[in-house]
Amino acid sequence: MVEGEIKSIQDKLAAFKRKYYFNLFIKGGLLTLSLILFYFLIASIIEYNLWLGVWARFSIFFFFFALVAYCLYRFLKKPIAWWLYRRGLDQDESARLIGSYFPTVGDRLLNLLQLSSTQSTSMLLDAGVKQKSKLFDNISFEQAIDLNQNKQYLKYLFIPAGIILIILFVNTGIITQSSQRILHFTQEFSPEAPFKFQIQNKNLYAFFNEDFTLNLVLEGEAIAESAYIVSGSQRLKMETVQPGEFAYTFEKIQNGIDFQIEASGFYSNTYKIILANRPEITELKVSFEYPRYLARRNQELRNAGNLEVPEGTKITWKIGTANATKAFISFSSEETPNAMQIINNQMFTFGKGFNNPDLYAIDLENDQSGNKEKIAYSITVTKDAYPELAVDYLKDSVLYKSIVLGGAIGDDYGVTQLDLTYRVISNDHESEKSTISIPINKNQPRQSFFHNWRLDSLNLSPGDRLEYFLQVWDNDGVNGRKSTKSVSYIFSLPSEEELKVEIVKSESATEGKFDQTLKKAKDLKESMEEAQQKLKGKQGLDWQDKKMLEELVKQKQSLDQMIDELQKQNELLEEQKNSFSEQSERIK
């Protein structure tokens, strides 16, 4: 029973402690915020008007944190320590504070706590503790803490806060600009100029060993006549482009540069030219995958830009780069560039087939820039040419039994077929076209051909016409096989009357040659008799005699040749007569 009474009093003491430290926290927080705002206000006004240097702004920045640390230690130490570590008032100290707030309590609460902590046990002691505990049943220890008393500290907060709000309404720069300079105490700041420094460059990236031109425009009512770049101990005068516009070129820049711009004694903020690297190609590989019908081995070239390939070739580029994050390849035949695929660190690839000539360009990029010089080349595509065909023929104009065809065929990559196409045209009938395949060597791009076309199987009749042409095909595997045709030739058989006339002409010609042969034989015989008479009685032959005999031998040989020709013509004449008879019989 006694333990329950003591537990109730301890709970009230715990509630008192919570409110006690919460009250200390409110009070400490208001005082801390008040001091910080006062310090911030005073520091901003001083810095705005005096444009303090680096060390002065650093001191303000440092003492700000020192003030915060002091306030935390001075005003908020106790509540923070009690909340985090439960370090603070014990029960006896709490009882004394409560006794000081409530005169009716006095030391009674302290005595009760001391009495309850006595180790001895007796009924008399328990009765005393119980009796004294009843005195505090109707007393709330938390009422000893009045949170409203902290309102007196609000005035210390409202004064600096109100001044700051007024300043922000009148001139925000007093607070914002000064606080910005205090926060960035390592930078050099100068009093605000009556004009603005406007850097016209999109960015301040410069590239190693390249010139970099800085462009400046001064904007304001009063414009300085000259401007200078201040970097370390250097003071470089900028070139005046026109009033208010200036430029300066850093030649062959090697390192990053920190600088300010000074004009009429006013200084800009500090800028930095950042040294960057342009992307560039370090290696160029080009692979060719030729069409299969060309029977060519695939090929790879290094550092080849302008290309010449057969039609249908697939070209694959592999480029090694430095300082590149992206690579694009664009063609004149396409509107949009193609992103090249990255295959490993700084290596990109792209492949495409080509049937027509084209132009291409490679563009590299990184976060700072693209490649400086344009990388552009051409692609020449060699079209698969049409096959070539040259025809020569010899027709039998005596017996009309054969046509000898010959000539040459060729193609840039090979031929696959050579055909002879013909049809027979009679007076009242026209046959369908027929085709004869002439054997060729498909593995040989250029070759000659020969074909003896026997006409016996065609059963031609007098007056028939044979129309024919040759056609050759190549092995184009991209566009499909292409062909070239010769002109159409016509082989006409004469009619009966024409055959009769030709036979008569042949007989007349043969008779004429026969008469010539007889005359030459007679002349040769007379010459031989004269030579025999002349050489009689001579022991030896002189030079004139030998020449005479040689001439007689030549005449004899010429005569023999004419006799052979007559025999052949006579045989052909007989065959022609027989052929005419056969054709006449076939017609009948």
Side-chain angles (χ1 to χ4, degrees), residues 11 55-56 67 73 84 123 189 194 202 272 328 405 407 440 483 488 496 519 560:
D11 291 341
W55 285 104
L67 176 62
Y73 178 79
L84 296 178
M123 294 182 62
F189 293 95
K202 291 183 178 179
K272 183 177 182 64
F328 299 90
L405 298 172
I440 58 172
S483 67
S488 293
E496 288 188 24
K519 183 176 183 306
D560 292 340

Side-chain angles (χ1 to χ4, degrees), residues 43-252:
S44 298
I45 294 174
I46 292 174
E47 204 287 328
Y48 181 79
N49 288 280
L50 299 181
W51 286 79
L52 301 176
V54 173
W55 285 104
R57 285 183 279 122
F58 171 74
S59 299
I60 293 175
F61 189 78
F62 174 78
F63 282 116
F64 174 80
F65 285 99
L67 176 62
V68 172
Y70 170 76
C71 291
L72 291 175
Y73 178 79
R74 176 66 178 80
F75 303 117
L76 299 173
K77 174 185 176 182
K78 290 181 179 181
I80 292 175
W82 186 80
W83 283 332
L84 296 178
Y85 310 108
R86 294 300 175 183
R87 295 178 183 176
L89 296 175
D90 57 18
Q91 289 186 348
D92 291 348
E93 290 174 334
S94 300
R96 291 190 184 94
L97 284 175
I98 293 171
S100 65
Y101 282 114
F102 296 100
T104 58
V105 174
D107 296 332
R108 293 176 183 179
L109 180 58
L110 178 59
N111 293 336
L112 176 61
L113 294 175
Q114 291 174 349
L115 183 61
S116 64
S117 61
T118 303
Q119 297 295 327
S120 61
T121 59
S122 66
M123 294 182 62
L124 182 61
L125 179 62
D126 291 344
V129 171
K130 182 178 179 181
Q131 182 181 3
K132 291 184 178 182
S133 298
K134 291 181 178 180
L135 296 174
F136 307 108
D137 287 344
N138 297 323
I139 299 176
S140 176
F141 298 159
E142 294 181 65
Q143 293 179 357
I145 307 301
D146 186 6
L147 297 179
N148 290 327
Q149 290 182 356
N150 294 312
K151 293 181 179 179
Q152 60 180 319
Y153 302 111
L154 290 175
K155 59 184 178 182
Y156 301 119
L157 178 62
F158 289 156
I159 293 174
I163 296 174
I164 291 174
L165 290 175
I166 294 172
I167 292 175
L168 289 174
F169 181 77
V170 175
N171 184 0
T172 58
I174 297 175
I175 302 298
T176 58
Q177 294 179 13
S178 58
S179 60
Q180 181 75 7
R181 291 193 291 269
I182 292 172
L183 287 174
H184 300 85
F185 58 85
T186 57
Q187 297 183 14
E188 290 288 350
F189 293 95
S190 302
E192 186 175 355
F195 45 79
K196 293 182 179 180
F197 297 90
Q198 299 290 347
I199 301 294
Q200 299 300 297
N201 302 67
K202 291 183 178 179
N203 56 61
L204 294 180
Y205 288 117
F207 301 99
F208 180 78
N209 207 36
E210 295 183 20
D211 294 347
F212 177 80
T213 300
L214 180 70
N215 297 301
L216 170 71
V217 172
L218 300 180
E219 295 182 352
E221 296 181 358
I223 302 300
E225 295 181 356
S226 58
Y228 298 85
I229 293 176
V230 179
S231 177
S233 60
Q234 291 184 317
R235 189 169 182 266
L236 310 171
K237 185 175 182 180
M238 301 184 72
E239 178 184 355
T240 302
V241 179
Q242 62 182 28
E245 293 187 18
F246 306 90
Y248 184 83
T249 299
F250 297 88
E251 297 181 353
K252 305 295 181 183

Side-chain angles (χ1 to χ4, degrees), residues 8 91 100 129 146 165 193 218 290 333 353-354 376 438 513 544 567:
S8 176
Q91 289 186 348
S100 65
V129 171
D146 186 6
L165 290 175
L218 300 180
Y290 299 110
S333 60
F354 290 88
I438 299 176
K513 289 184 179 180
Q544 290 181 347
Q567 289 177 347

Side-chain angles (χ1 to χ4, degrees), residues 474-489:
D474 67 3
N475 63 344
D476 192 340
V478 176
N479 305 295
R481 295 194 311 163
K482 304 186 298 296
S483 67
T484 298
K485 291 171 58 175
S486 69
V487 298
S488 293
Y489 302 98

Side-chain angles (χ1 to χ4, degrees), residues 385-572:
Y386 277 80
E388 299 174 1
L389 174 61
V391 181
D392 193 9
Y393 68 96
L394 177 64
K395 60 184 179 179
D396 183 359
S397 60
V398 177
L399 302 179
Y400 302 98
K401 290 185 176 181
S402 66
I403 298 176
V404 178
L405 298 172
I409 57 174
D411 186 63
D412 42 6
Y413 300 117
V415 292
T416 57
Q417 185 177 347
L418 176 62
D419 288 346
L420 168 63
T421 302
Y422 67 91
R423 64 177 177 175
V424 178
I425 303 174
S426 302
N427 292 331
D428 56 352
H429 180 262
E430 182 176 314
S431 69
E432 296 292 334
K433 289 184 179 180
S434 301
T435 300
I436 299 174
S437 181
I438 299 176
I440 58 172
N441 186 354
K442 296 181 180 180
N443 296 323
Q444 187 173 345
R446 300 188 179 278
Q447 55 190 289
S448 299
F449 68 92
F450 176 84
H451 181 68
N452 186 11
W453 186 15
R454 303 293 300 177
L455 306 179
D456 301 11
S457 60
L458 301 182
N459 298 320
L460 299 177
S461 301
D464 287 351
R465 288 183 301 156
L466 181 63
E467 185 180 85
Y468 65 93
F469 63 87
L470 292 174
Q471 188 171 8
V472 62
W473 282 265
D474 67 3
N475 63 344
D476 192 340
V478 176
N479 305 295
R481 295 194 311 163
K482 304 186 298 296
S483 67
T484 298
K485 291 171 58 175
S486 69
V487 298
S488 293
Y489 302 98
I490 295 179
F491 179 72
S492 298
L493 269 72
S495 61
E496 288 188 24
E497 295 299 326
E498 291 173 338
L499 284 172
K500 290 179 181 179
V501 172
E502 287 188 8
I503 291 173
V504 171
K505 287 182 179 179
S506 298
E507 288 178 342
S508 299
T510 302
E511 290 176 357
K513 289 184 179 180
F514 183 74
D515 292 340
Q516 292 179 2
T517 303
L518 289 177
K519 183 176 183 306
K520 283 187 177 182
K522 183 179 179 180
D523 293 341
L524 178 61
K525 181 179 178 181
E526 292 177 354
S527 297
M528 293 179 66
E529 290 176 353
E530 291 178 0
Q532 186 176 7
Q533 293 296 327
K534 187 176 179 180
L535 296 176
K536 282 183 178 181
K538 285 191 175 183
Q539 298 295 324
L541 299 177
D542 56 15
W543 180 82
Q544 290 181 347
D545 296 335
K546 292 179 180 181
K547 292 292 290 181
M548 181 184 64
L549 292 176
E550 289 178 359
E551 184 65 28
L552 290 174
V553 170
K554 288 181 179 180
Q555 291 180 9
K556 178 65 171 58
Q557 291 176 347
S558 176
L559 181 62
D560 292 340
Q561 184 177 358
M562 290 183 67
I563 293 172
D564 290 340
E565 289 179 357
L566 284 173
Q567 289 177 347
K568 291 179 180 180
Q569 288 182 1
N570 188 54
E571 292 174 356
L572 289 174

